[in-house]
Amino acid sequence: MTAEINAYKQVAGEAIFEIGRRLKHVKEKDLVHGEWNTWCQNKLGFTRQYANRFVKIYEELGSNGNSGFHSLSAKALYQIATLPPEQRESEHTTSKGEQKTPSEMTVRELRQLKADLKKAEERAEVERKERERLEQLDDSTATFLRKKESNMREIVGKAYTELGRELKEAQDELSRRGSKYEGVFERWYTSIGFKRQKVYDLINRYNLLRISEEVSDVIEDLPVSLTYEIAKPSADSTPAKTHLPFDVEHFGA
């Protein structure tokens, strides 16, 4: 029975792509401008937006060889189709601290991932604009402010490194003490006001800093929010890694 259910899930997933392919053909080849909305409603009982989602899924994922996509619902596929291409098969950390690829996530987790990526992009854009404004100042003022920024990042970076160290040591010690203490780490950091995502951001960042002195020197000079993105296991193929003048995998080997 399980095999039959999985087989039908596969058929249903493939049908989503076939519907998208045919809708795309009708939209682009069979209709004139302005007919799409009426055709969707009268012929299929679809809203234009609903039909466009199938087209989007086919356009973005139809040529993808990931067989895992074919067992997903249309809602999940649409969330994946609207992710940046480089994020669609990378691992990401969920709000529960689990490492998952998008095809392994629930729709709720996918929506949260999109929100997190948008926030990271917005932070990067704010930092870019700030750098541009600094470049418009006279040289002495710009140099002075860059120095202050560097000093402040160093202070904050060291503080976050120490937090990561303390959390990592607590996690390791409780794990060493055995199953009797399972769940104690999470209850402990929650009781002192930390959220799971922040805790694992700090631990991942600390683990990355431990790779080598060269990695540590570079990471400490970057904005903390950017170091979180780089430290994630999912960052191997993301733009965050372009800030590093070396291959992190090389140092971790």
Side-chain angles (χ1 to χ4, degrees):
M1 186 64 70
T2 301
E4 291 177 3
I5 292 172
N6 285 328
Y8 280 115
K9 282 176 62 180
Q10 182 78 12
V11 171
E14 291 172 356
I16 293 169
F17 288 94
E18 288 302 317
I19 290 170
R21 183 171 70 84
R22 286 164 171 77
L23 285 171
K24 177 178 170 66
H25 176 87
V26 170
K27 183 178 183 181
E28 295 179 353
K29 306 293 184 182
D30 296 348
L31 300 176
V32 299
H33 182 72
E35 291 183 340
W36 176 239
N37 186 44
T38 302
W39 183 85
C40 288
Q41 290 180 335
N42 293 344
K43 300 296 184 180
L44 303 176
F46 286 0
T47 64
R48 181 185 73 254
Q49 294 84 354
Y50 188 67
N52 285 341
R53 289 192 172 205
F54 283 93
V55 175
K56 180 71 171 179
I57 290 168
Y58 173 71
E59 288 178 337
E60 297 294 330
L61 306 178
S63 61
N64 189 293
N66 189 335
S67 59
F69 289 162
H70 292 278
S71 62
L72 301 179
S73 68
K75 286 184 178 179
L77 287 169
Y78 181 72
Q79 295 299 321
I80 295 172
T82 51
L83 284 171
E86 67 274 10
Q87 303 287 0
R88 292 173 187 166
E89 298 192 53
S90 298
E91 284 195 337
H92 302 272
T93 305
T94 68
S95 59
K96 295 181 180 179
E98 300 170 322
Q99 295 296 316
K100 292 184 178 181
T101 61
S103 63
E104 297 169 330
M105 292 182 180
T106 64
V107 172
R108 183 176 181 177
E109 288 170 338
L110 286 166
R111 288 173 177 158
Q112 184 60 52
L113 172 61
K114 287 174 66 176
D116 291 343
L117 291 172
K118 183 178 180 180
K119 287 179 182 177
E121 183 179 348
E122 289 172 349
R123 286 196 301 267
E125 179 63 14
V126 169
E127 291 170 1
R128 184 189 65 79
K129 289 180 178 179
E130 287 298 327
R131 288 195 298 271
E132 287 182 352
R133 279 195 284 268
L134 282 177
E135 289 170 358
Q136 295 172 1
L137 298 172
D138 60 89
D139 289 344
S140 62
T141 302
T143 300
F144 170 77
L145 291 176
R146 287 194 187 99
K147 178 62 177 174
K148 288 301 179 185
E149 180 184 357
S150 177
N151 292 344
M152 292 165 64
R153 282 182 177 174
E154 183 178 355
I155 292 168
V156 172
K158 287 180 178 178
Y160 277 72
T161 299
E162 290 305 312
L163 282 171
R165 184 200 311 277
E166 295 297 331
L167 288 165
K168 177 63 175 171
E169 288 178 355
Q171 181 188 47
D172 289 347
E173 177 60 22
L174 290 169
S175 177
R176 185 187 66 79
R177 294 188 181 191
S179 59
K180 177 181 177 181
Y181 294 90
E182 184 176 352
V184 172
F185 178 61
E186 183 172 1
R187 292 197 297 273
W188 168 69
Y189 69 65
T190 301
S191 73
I192 58 177
F194 280 90
K195 293 184 178 180
R196 186 183 184 94
Q197 185 65 57
K198 176 63 71 175
V199 166
Y200 285 93
D201 280 343
L202 289 165
I203 289 175
N204 287 338
R205 180 180 183 276
Y206 175 66
N207 286 336
L208 181 61
L209 289 168
R210 294 167 64 193
I211 291 176
S212 78
E213 185 175 343
E214 182 180 353
V215 171
S216 178
D217 290 343
V218 174
I219 294 296
E220 291 280 15
D221 287 338
L222 296 175
V224 172
S225 59
L226 181 59
T227 67
Y228 289 160
E229 296 304 312
I230 294 171
K232 288 180 180 178
S234 61
D236 292 344
S237 59
T238 67
K241 284 289 175 70
T242 63
H243 290 266
L244 301 180
F246 49 76
D247 182 0
V248 169
E249 294 299 316
H250 169 75
F251 288 100

